[in-house]
Amino acid sequence: MDEQNLRKLLEQLHQELETNQNIDENGRDLLRHLGRDINEFLDGTTQGQEGSHHSLLEQLEESIRYLEVTHPTVTLTLSKILESLSTAGI
């Protein structure tokens, strides 16, 4: 997995959250939890935890579904993160 690319995508996601005031609180919560879990995955703190990869992918997919109509830019970044993790075999 290209960890540097994934971290860059996470930073892009954080920037989009900072500048996009139209995301409702539920969407922000989804993205905050997702960002935290991806960072934990990258830092190795979830390695070996049963179902952690599956849960991470589910969170990504849920966030994409929730934001795809109202926030296409955020959804595009989330899709790139999902693709990066999928390519890595997660």
Side-chain angles (χ1 to χ4, degrees):
M1 168 180 27
D2 185 358
E3 185 176 325
Q4 183 178 9
N5 183 47
L6 194 51
R7 288 194 188 275
K8 182 178 175 184
L9 289 170
L10 273 177
E11 180 59 34
Q12 183 179 345
L13 180 61
H14 287 290
Q15 289 175 356
E16 289 169 9
L17 284 174
E18 293 287 322
T19 59
N20 192 331
Q21 301 300 317
N22 297 324
I23 298 175
D24 64 21
E25 197 57 36
N26 188 35
R28 286 189 183 282
D29 284 344
L30 279 170
L31 294 173
R32 274 189 219 112
H33 291 293
L34 179 63
R36 181 198 66 222
D37 291 347
I38 291 172
N39 278 319
E40 287 176 359
F41 169 76
L42 289 173
D43 294 339
T45 57
T46 60
Q47 301 279 333
Q49 290 182 7
E50 182 98 15
S52 64
H53 298 336
H54 182 69
S55 175
L56 183 59
L57 295 178
E58 284 180 345
Q59 287 180 46
L60 266 166
E61 291 168 350
E62 179 183 356
S63 297
I64 290 169
R65 281 192 301 273
Y66 187 82
L67 297 166
E68 67 186 337
V69 174
T70 57
H71 299 87
T73 305
V74 174
T75 304
L76 179 61
T77 302
L78 291 172
S79 295
K80 290 178 181 178
I81 291 171
L82 180 62
E83 181 181 331
S84 182
L85 290 171
S86 294
T87 302
I90 306 297

